[in-house]
Amino acid sequence: MDELFMLFLNDIPAECQGFVLELDKYLTENESKRTIKSAKSGFVTSYSNPKTGKALLNYVFRKTGVKMRIYAQNIGDYDDILTDFPDNMKKDIVKAGDCKKLNGLKCSPTCGGGYSFTLDGAQYKKCKNMAFFHNLEEKNFEPIRKLIYEEINE
């Protein structure tokens, strides 16, 4: 492992490092490109989707802890996995901002639009930057793993 990745990993809470290492191994073995940049609040570590070259996930450091932003571009094809998400993750998804483009409003010209999916019987059109933005904590590991694996294997 390179030095920059080890510096990033050292900033991850000890109880989360195993999960981060597992995901890193899975993603890099599946030809996802990892990039690490230094930011004001810590490292921003990103992985690309090997099939599209677009962002798949980012680790973002906040005052409240480390968060993961997952770009689930194909969530509409497998939104049934959302039913198994814990309540805290479902609440994060529901309170995330709505996608302006999918709702007929103006957004940034570079925005490709958000995600349309069903969660617990309700239809949502959420912004891609906030829809799947979750705390890196143990109770979220399995749902995050499923979401990422599904996106890679889609």
Side-chain angles (χ1 to χ4, degrees):
M1 280 182 237
D2 62 52
E3 185 178 340
L4 195 54
F5 180 77
M6 292 307 298
L7 290 170
F8 155 73
L9 190 61
N10 285 335
D11 284 352
I12 297 289
E15 65 273 14
C16 300
Q17 290 179 0
F19 177 71
V20 170
L21 281 168
E22 173 201 325
L23 274 184
D24 179 76
K25 181 179 182 201
Y26 175 78
L27 290 168
T28 55
E29 284 177 355
N30 281 280
E31 301 179 18
S32 179
K33 183 181 173 194
R34 176 192 342 124
T35 58
I36 303 173
K37 296 178 183 172
S38 186
K40 179 170 67 170
S41 58
F43 292 100
V44 175
T45 301
S46 303
Y47 293 84
S48 65
N49 185 322
K51 293 179 181 172
T52 65
K54 294 181 179 181
L56 173 63
L57 80 90
N58 299 331
Y59 291 95
V60 182
F61 289 82
R62 297 283 195 251
K63 290 179 184 174
T64 57
V66 182
K67 297 186 80 81
M68 292 179 75
R69 177 177 289 123
I70 303 158
Y71 297 98
Q73 296 175 357
N74 299 299
I75 192 66
D77 296 338
Y78 52 84
D79 56 18
D80 56 308
I81 69 168
L82 296 176
T83 58
D84 295 333
F85 274 31
D87 288 341
N88 67 303
M89 290 180 75
K90 287 180 180 182
K91 287 177 185 172
D92 288 343
I93 293 168
V94 170
K95 75 176 183 182
D98 290 332
C99 174
K100 293 178 183 178
K101 280 195 173 181
L102 291 177
N103 287 296
L105 303 171
K106 294 225 185 241
C107 190
S108 165
T110 60
C111 178
Y115 311 127
S116 182
F117 57 91
T118 303
L119 173 63
D120 293 339
Q123 183 70 28
Y124 293 96
K125 295 178 181 180
K126 295 293 182 176
C127 174
K128 69 178 184 176
N129 291 318
M130 298 307 291
F132 302 102
F133 192 52
H134 302 288
N135 292 324
L136 179 62
E137 55 188 348
E138 189 172 352
K139 65 183 171 184
N140 296 347
F141 290 173
E142 188 58 27
I144 288 171
R145 182 183 293 114
K146 283 182 181 179
L147 191 57
I148 291 169
Y149 284 21
E150 196 68 42
E151 197 62 30
I152 289 285
N153 293 310
E154 180 63 26

